[in-house]
Amino acid sequence: MSVKPFHMGWFMEFSPDEWNGPFGGGGSPWSGEFYVEMAQALERACFDLIMAADTLMVSEAYGGSMETYLKHALLVPQHDPAPLAALMASATSHLGIAITLSTMGYPPFLLARLCRTLDHISHGRFAWNIVTTAENHAAQNFGLDKLPDRQLRYDMADEYMELVCQLFDSWEPGAIVMDRETDVYADYKKVHPINYKGKFFSSRGPLNTAPSPYGRTIFLQAGGSPRGRTFAAKYADCIIAIGAGVEGMKSYRDDVLARAAEAGRNPNDIKVLFCVTPTLGDTEEEAQAKHQRMITNPSFIEQSLAFIAGITDIDFSKFDLDKELPHLTTNGEQGSLDMFAQWGSGKKLRQLVIEASGGLLASVELVGTPDQIAERMGEVMREVGGDGYLITSPSMKISRRYISEITDELVPALQRRGLVRTKYTKTTLRDTLKEF
């Protein structure tokens, strides 16, 4: 029986690699060279895309101090992913390049202009990962005392998206004529101010960038809470998701695609990629031993809790690892908190950290040989219904060794089973995502 292939992406940050390990790049990747080489490796493995996360602050959420974050290079230093996207795009020809840009951090006009510019540089392979920003420390870097309420942030983001899309459409198709005989570059009748005036944002327009021959920028979004899922279902071409096991993954995908249909979209136009953190070994015993060494390392536990604290604005240093969490709410990423905490499961905090395996990024446990993991990934996708995976390192830091384990060991095992592509047949990210 033929097996429908699935899509593959990689989640990373423009931050230090595994600087204190034997296979890191030394912890100073600021020229971008390390990540450009990573993008080239993913392209050789026929990945759909690489996605750079981003934050806009140095957190103090864990223990009320920056110490843990700076000590472990956790969420900091973190450089602007936009210039890196241009570097990666120029060094590749098929791989999609997605970066995180905050609706709080960028005025809509500047963001639309940046997206359009990167669309051109990448020849239609750029994607914007939409975030509203969920940290009070980030808000304070932009002149706010604290974040707006989460519901209000999504209301603002809805208006933001409406404005950005109008800016994208402010040049009609065919506006650029480049007519040598009449000495006309662009037809002014096909370029329009939008005069947008909303409750939160306004912009005269039009964009002052050339229209993209590749259409609207590809949108990525990770909606965890009910409101976040509705937002993702309304706008995203590709949804980044975390599911609690196969049942949770299937439930999430079914729910978000139903929301897309309610919004008048074709659910088949949306790809849902689930975050996973494979741990590979030459034997199952070796992989399990590697996994055990990682999850029992006190530094790993501390880093995982600090990471979760950083995105939820909840200080997890206050809670006993060997007790259940009290029920918590946040104005940060409530969906991520709910996924991590598994309310009602009876699990202790230590177990929750172990199951999260590197923050919040493990939808299903993948520990074993490349063939075992490939087989499991295929089984999970068949049960969930699609559409693919977004890989990240279990240790939250990337090494050359881990990149090679995925691209040179796991991907060939997937390819032998017909689960992922063996070559690119499309040139734009939109067409690559729509290929199957």
Side-chain angles (χ1 to χ4, degrees):
M1 185 176 99
S2 62
V3 179
K4 177 184 174 183
F6 50 74
H7 300 271
M8 291 277 281
W10 195 305
F11 177 100
M12 47 75 69
E13 298 173 341
F14 193 5
S15 60
D17 57 7
E18 198 175 77
W19 59 274
N20 56 349
F23 300 99
S28 298
W30 310 124
S31 70
E33 183 178 353
F34 175 85
Y35 289 109
V36 167
E37 291 175 358
M38 177 183 177
Q40 291 172 325
L42 297 188
E43 183 163 85
R44 288 192 295 272
C46 298
F47 270 62
D48 290 70
L49 59 90
I50 184 170
M51 191 195 89
D54 195 22
T55 57
L56 299 169
M57 47 85 202
V58 180
S59 183
E60 297 179 7
Y62 188 78
S65 168
M66 295 184 288
E67 179 183 359
T68 299
Y69 297 95
L70 291 166
K71 172 185 175 182
H72 296 296
L74 186 65
L75 301 173
V76 62
Q78 195 160 86
H79 284 208
D80 191 323
L84 180 63
L87 285 174
M88 292 193 293
S90 67
T92 56
S93 57
H94 290 86
L95 181 72
I97 313 293
I99 64 172
T100 299
L101 301 169
S102 170
T103 58
M104 182 186 72
Y106 287 81
F109 185 92
L110 284 183
L111 184 136
R113 188 171 186 252
L114 177 59
C115 288
R116 180 58 54 80
T117 300
L118 290 169
D119 270 338
H120 283 284
I121 288 174
S122 66
H123 299 286
R125 293 182 289 123
F126 175 71
W128 167 30
N129 179 43
I130 307 161
V131 298
T132 62
T133 294
E135 305 92 13
N136 277 325
H137 287 107
Q140 290 160 10
N141 287 333
F142 291 87
L144 303 174
D145 292 329
K146 62 179 182 178
L147 284 173
D149 177 75
R150 187 173 64 255
Q151 175 67 42
L152 178 59
R153 294 203 305 273
Y154 275 116
D155 291 343
M156 295 171 70
D158 277 321
E159 187 175 292
Y160 191 106
M161 296 303 299
E162 183 179 1
L163 171 51
V164 165
C165 288
Q166 286 191 26
L167 286 167
F168 284 152
D169 293 338
S170 60
W171 290 57
E172 293 182 26
I176 293 183
V177 294
M178 289 194 293
D179 190 325
R180 289 177 179 268
E181 292 185 5
T182 60
D183 199 26
V184 173
Y185 182 85
D187 182 352
Y188 78 98
K189 295 178 182 178
K190 293 184 177 182
V191 182
H192 309 286
I194 62 172
N195 295 313
Y196 186 94
K197 295 189 183 298
K199 182 177 179 181
F200 307 106
F201 304 101
S202 63
S203 180
R204 178 185 182 274
L207 274 184
N208 63 342
T209 50
S212 172
Y214 312 107
R216 175 183 59 71
T217 294
I218 292 290
F219 295 153
L220 274 63
Q221 217 273 327
S225 67
R227 183 65 175 87
R229 295 184 188 197
T230 297
F231 183 84
K234 184 176 181 180
Y235 299 106
D237 301 289
C238 182
I239 295 175
I240 308 307
I242 304 163
V246 175
E247 185 177 334
M249 294 165 71
K250 179 171 173 51
S251 174
Y252 178 94
R253 184 174 183 271
D254 291 346
D255 177 64
V256 78
L257 294 187
R259 291 172 189 260
E262 290 174 6
R265 299 186 63 193
N266 181 352
N268 293 328
D269 290 341
I270 302 171
K271 305 302 178 185
V272 182
L273 303 186
F274 287 96
C275 296
V276 290
T277 59
T279 300
L280 290 85
D282 291 337
T283 65
E284 183 178 0
E285 292 74 22
E286 179 184 321
Q288 291 290 351
K290 184 191 297 188
H291 184 66
Q292 281 299 120
R293 287 194 300 272
M294 179 187 70
I295 64 178
T296 56
N297 185 330
S299 177
F300 171 79
I301 297 289
E302 180 180 60
Q303 289 186 63
S304 296
L305 288 174
F307 176 82
I308 298 162
I311 65 173
T312 61
D313 267 345
I314 292 175
D315 184 3
F316 283 91
S317 69
K318 297 179 178 179
F319 302 110
D320 190 325
L321 283 170
D322 297 308
K323 292 183 179 179
E324 292 182 44
L325 279 175
H327 198 281
L328 303 167
T329 59
T330 179
N331 193 36
E333 294 189 15
Q334 183 68 47
S336 295
L337 174 62
D338 294 342
M339 191 65 64
F340 168 73
Q342 300 182 49
W343 309 117
S345 68
K347 294 176 182 178
K348 308 298 190 291
L349 179 56
R350 188 187 304 276
Q351 183 62 29
L352 296 176
V353 173
I354 290 170
E355 291 186 10
S357 185
L360 298 165
L361 302 173
S363 295
V364 64
E365 184 176 279
L366 297 173
V367 181
T369 66
D371 280 310
Q372 287 174 326
I373 291 177
E375 192 68 26
R376 180 59 178 154
M377 290 173 74
E379 292 171 356
V380 169
M381 275 299 108
R382 282 191 286 271
E383 292 184 57
V384 170
D387 299 288
Y389 297 98
L390 191 71
I391 287 178
T392 193
S393 167
S395 67
M396 297 181 287
K397 295 287 190 294
I398 300 173
S399 70
R400 286 185 169 88
R401 179 176 183 175
Y402 190 68
I403 295 168
S404 178
E405 286 177 343
I406 298 298
T407 60
D408 299 337
E409 298 178 34
L410 177 58
V411 168
L414 291 165
Q415 290 172 334
R416 288 193 295 270
R417 290 163 172 78
L419 294 173
V420 297
R421 68 170 59 85
T422 57
K423 63 179 180 179
Y424 293 102
T425 63
K426 312 295 181 183
T427 56
T428 69
L429 178 56
R430 186 181 308 280
D431 289 340
T432 294
L433 289 171
K434 288 184 175 182
E435 185 178 4
F436 42 78

